[in-house]
Amino acid sequence: MERYWNQEIETMSREDMKKLQDERLAAQVKHVYENVEYYRNLMDEKGVKPEDVKSTEDLHKLPFLSKADLRDAYPYGLLAKPLSECVRIQSTSGTTGRRVVAFYTQHDIDLWEDCCARAITAAGGTNEDVCQVCYGYGLFTGGPGLNGGSHKVGCLTLPMSSGNTERQIQFMRDLGSTILCCTPSYAAYIGETLHDMGYTPDDIKLKAGIFGAEPWTEEMRRSIENSLGIKAYDIYGLTETSGPGVSFECSEQTGMHINEDHFIPEIINPDTGEVLPEGEVGELVFTSITKEAFPLLRYRTRDLCVLSRKKCSCGRTLIKMSKPMGRSDDMLIIRGVNVFPSQIETVLIEQGYTPNYLIEVDRVNNSDTLDISVEMNPEQLSDKVKDMQDKERQLAGAIKTMLGISPKVHLVSPKSIARSEGKAVRVIDKRKLHD
Ligand code: ADP
Ligand code: ZN
């Protein structure tokens, strides 16, 4: 039976949800216009007044905000509440460019943790569960967000943070953890360490994992599910919109339900800013309609995905977003071809390799080079040079079929590629160093 954290909201009729969004949006635009000079200037430049935005149909009239605006306004320029009402900051992990700082009132934290509680409940979590949180704690939103959500649900919460993987497994066994929250790359590493320590999934009590903060493929999901003996759920969010919990997966696992009572999504053409119809791939844009301290309107996430209102078997009526295929700025253009690291990951795992790999792109004599180092399983090792060369050629062929360009594949020995305890770094684009 499907469990909900807030059944009324999660299964609300489209009509009622729209009414709620319209009211909240109008009030939010007024709040921002009155309190954030930076955004007021943008609205004035576009000739939009708060009274012009009465419903979600008027959303397109508002100016976009982008990461560049967050940098311009750093640190306090987008704050909409006096400091006396703010109780916390969090900051981006800085995967791309300079850090961004976001602010929270106590109310903002409550709503954020509530979103995470919805995600934990959708993954089957109740107050009977033992929830091990191995996202980083501190400035990164992963640890604090899931920690708060776990408390709300009433799980016994293990605030482990990331790192010290053998100790993670010790705690997992001793305390009987049933839910694991971390990045998918760290989950894969925990699974690998569990096996290295001589245990199998039967030696732990985990039943579900809530993994997010970085892109991961369906192949990676199956590999983690097998190594830990669990069902793995996706969760999405970004610091600019609070953190994880903007959207979460349900039992159907065909995309993540967006908490629409707090965030209104749009999909736009990243080049023109034009709003695209449901079902088309584009850049995801969010408008926070309940945040007090750091309420971003029409924030461009740079994440590429698709929205869908198809009826979901879990009973939730909240709109769903597909797994982000990557960020528009993660996409590599190699010899004129668009390449997402996730496409390479899909091929590697399908061909029986580990999800431990490193993509290096460079430019030599005015031509782009693509080198992929891929770790072998111990069983794939061979001391015959020819065997290895055949394997490399075969894998390069499979990747060429997927991408349309030929990589150079280097099979490397087990455990030679550094493991990630947080967000994995899988691409090094050396061309950027030459610019
Ligand atoms: P940074 O931009 O420094 O990585 P954040 O820690 O706020 O900052 O990360 C937010 C970003 O992480 C999102 O914009 C998205 O690109 C990525 N992300 C978060 N959750 C997921 C997920 N479930 N799947 C794919 N990407 C995700
Ligand atoms: Zn669902």
Side-chain angles (χ1 to χ4, degrees), residues 64-83:
F64 290 117
L65 276 176
S66 67
K67 204 136 185 167
D69 292 302
L70 267 59
R71 287 184 194 130
D72 278 356
Y74 178 86
Y76 289 124
L78 288 163
L79 193 58
K81 280 282 183 188
L83 276 190

Side-chain angles (χ1 to χ4, degrees), residues 18-27 29 48-59 61-62:
K18 170 143 183 7
K19 222 167 119 227
L20 183 68
Q21 288 183 326
D22 289 346
E23 277 163 24
R24 289 181 171 179
L25 174 65
V29 173
V48 199
K49 292 283 167 232
E51 45 287 8
D52 298 332
V53 183
K54 295 195 174 67
S55 74
T56 53
E57 283 86 13
D58 301 321
L59 202 54
K61 298 178 184 166
L62 290 168

Side-chain angles (χ1 to χ4, degrees), residues 196-421:
D196 288 351
M197 288 168 79
Y199 299 124
T200 70
D202 291 339
D203 297 309
I204 54 173
K205 291 208 174 122
L206 278 191
K207 60 176 191 193
I210 301 175
F211 307 131
E214 64 182 0
W216 52 313
T217 57
E218 286 300 326
E219 291 72 21
M220 179 91 161
R221 186 205 304 263
R222 280 191 289 277
S223 148
I224 296 171
E225 288 187 334
N226 288 336
S227 75
L228 289 170
I230 59 171
K231 187 156 172 169
Y233 295 82
D234 205 352
I235 185 168
Y236 168 92
L238 55 165
T239 314
E240 294 90 321
T241 56
S242 323
V246 169
S247 63
F248 61 94
E249 241 177 10
C250 62
S251 52
E252 197 181 279
Q253 298 193 307
T254 53
M256 295 177 271
H257 289 285
I258 297 175
N259 285 312
E260 285 182 276
D261 52 328
H262 301 300
F263 307 101
I264 304 178
E266 298 170 275
I267 292 283
I268 62 162
N269 175 326
D271 301 321
T272 62
E274 175 206 357
V275 179
L276 298 176
E278 188 194 312
E280 287 195 25
V281 182
E283 178 178 352
L284 187 57
V285 171
F286 281 116
T287 296
S288 320
I289 46 176
T290 50
K291 284 179 65 187
E292 298 179 333
F294 200 65
L296 302 186
L297 306 182
R298 297 198 91 199
Y299 181 68
R300 296 183 57 158
T301 63
R302 297 176 302 166
D303 292 321
L304 299 174
C305 70
V306 183
L307 295 178
S308 161
R309 283 214 179 273
K310 247 209 232 121
K311 198 166 183 294
C312 189
S313 60
C314 75
R316 288 181 183 78
T317 48
L318 301 170
I319 196 168
K320 288 207 289 200
M321 59 181 268
S322 65
K323 248 179 191 311
M325 316 169 173
R327 301 189 197 194
S328 48
D329 46 5
D330 268 353
M331 189 182 78
L332 297 159
I333 302 182
I334 305 171
R335 290 172 227 150
V337 175
N338 297 350
V339 173
F340 282 103
S342 59
Q343 297 176 293
I344 297 176
E345 180 176 300
T346 299
V347 178
L348 297 185
I349 301 182
E350 267 172 11
Q351 300 281 323
Y353 290 92
T354 68
N356 301 307
Y357 60 94
L358 187 67
I359 300 168
E360 287 176 90
V361 187
D362 203 350
R363 183 167 292 139
V364 180
N365 299 329
N366 291 320
S367 164
D368 293 331
T369 59
L370 170 61
D371 286 77
I372 308 174
S373 302
V374 184
E375 218 181 83
M376 287 174 288
N377 294 315
E379 311 83 67
Q380 291 163 325
L381 262 182
S382 158
D383 42 17
K384 293 209 189 81
V385 175
K386 183 161 178 314
D387 279 0
M388 300 305 279
Q389 285 172 340
D390 286 347
K391 283 201 176 100
E392 286 177 345
R393 215 170 297 132
Q394 195 253 337
L395 186 52
I399 293 171
K400 174 157 193 237
T401 306
M402 168 70 111
L403 303 179
I405 54 170
S406 291
K408 202 158 192 249
V409 169
H410 312 270
L411 291 179
V412 298
S413 46
K415 313 253 185 256
S416 58
I417 290 180
R419 300 294 186 263
S420 158
E421 295 171 350

Side-chain angles (χ1 to χ4, degrees), residues 5-196:
W5 175 249
N6 184 334
Q7 184 159 5
E8 189 195 340
I9 289 284
E10 292 175 58
T11 61
M12 189 174 253
S13 74
R14 184 68 213 126
E15 214 179 14
D16 288 349
M17 178 57 77
K18 170 143 183 7
K19 222 167 119 227
L20 183 68
Q21 288 183 326
D22 289 346
E23 277 163 24
R24 289 181 171 179
L25 174 65
Q28 184 72 306
V29 173
K30 187 162 176 291
H31 167 60
V32 172
Y33 192 82
E34 285 168 3
N35 296 291
V36 183
E37 190 192 340
Y38 189 96
Y39 200 75
R40 177 162 64 240
N41 291 340
L42 291 180
M43 282 177 64
D44 287 346
E45 269 168 39
K46 252 197 131 195
V48 199
K49 292 283 167 232
E51 45 287 8
D52 298 332
V53 183
K54 295 195 174 67
S55 74
T56 53
E57 283 86 13
D58 301 321
L59 202 54
H60 69 98
K61 298 178 184 166
L62 290 168
F64 290 117
L65 276 176
S66 67
K67 204 136 185 167
D69 292 302
L70 267 59
R71 287 184 194 130
D72 278 356
Y74 178 86
Y76 289 124
L78 288 163
L79 193 58
K81 280 282 183 188
L83 276 190
S84 56
E85 288 184 45
C86 297
V87 299
R88 179 152 5 127
I89 68 153
Q90 303 283 170
S91 173
T92 59
S93 45
T95 313
T96 51
R98 196 166 134 190
R99 279 178 180 275
V100 161
V101 171
F103 302 84
Y104 304 71
T105 61
Q106 186 55 51
H107 185 64
D108 291 334
I109 288 180
D110 281 344
L111 296 186
W112 173 28
E113 292 179 351
D114 215 70
C115 288
C116 291
R118 291 182 194 174
I120 293 171
T121 308
T126 69
N127 60 2
E128 303 286 337
D129 280 290
V130 178
C131 180
Q132 182 159 348
V133 183
C134 328
Y135 282 108
Y137 280 65
L139 286 172
F140 179 52
T141 53
L146 269 311
N147 189 86
S150 173
H151 274 223
K152 286 221 170 193
V153 173
C155 304
L156 175 67
T157 309
L158 276 50
M160 302 294 295
S161 199
S162 59
N164 205 337
T165 309
E166 294 199 356
R167 191 185 61 183
Q168 299 277 8
I169 289 166
Q170 205 59 56
F171 267 88
M172 190 178 282
R173 282 174 44 79
D174 292 350
L175 287 137
S177 304
T178 51
I179 298 179
L180 175 67
C181 305
C182 60
T183 59
S185 50
Y186 194 39
Y189 183 24
I190 292 177
E192 185 183 358
T193 309
L194 181 82
H195 292 262
D196 288 351

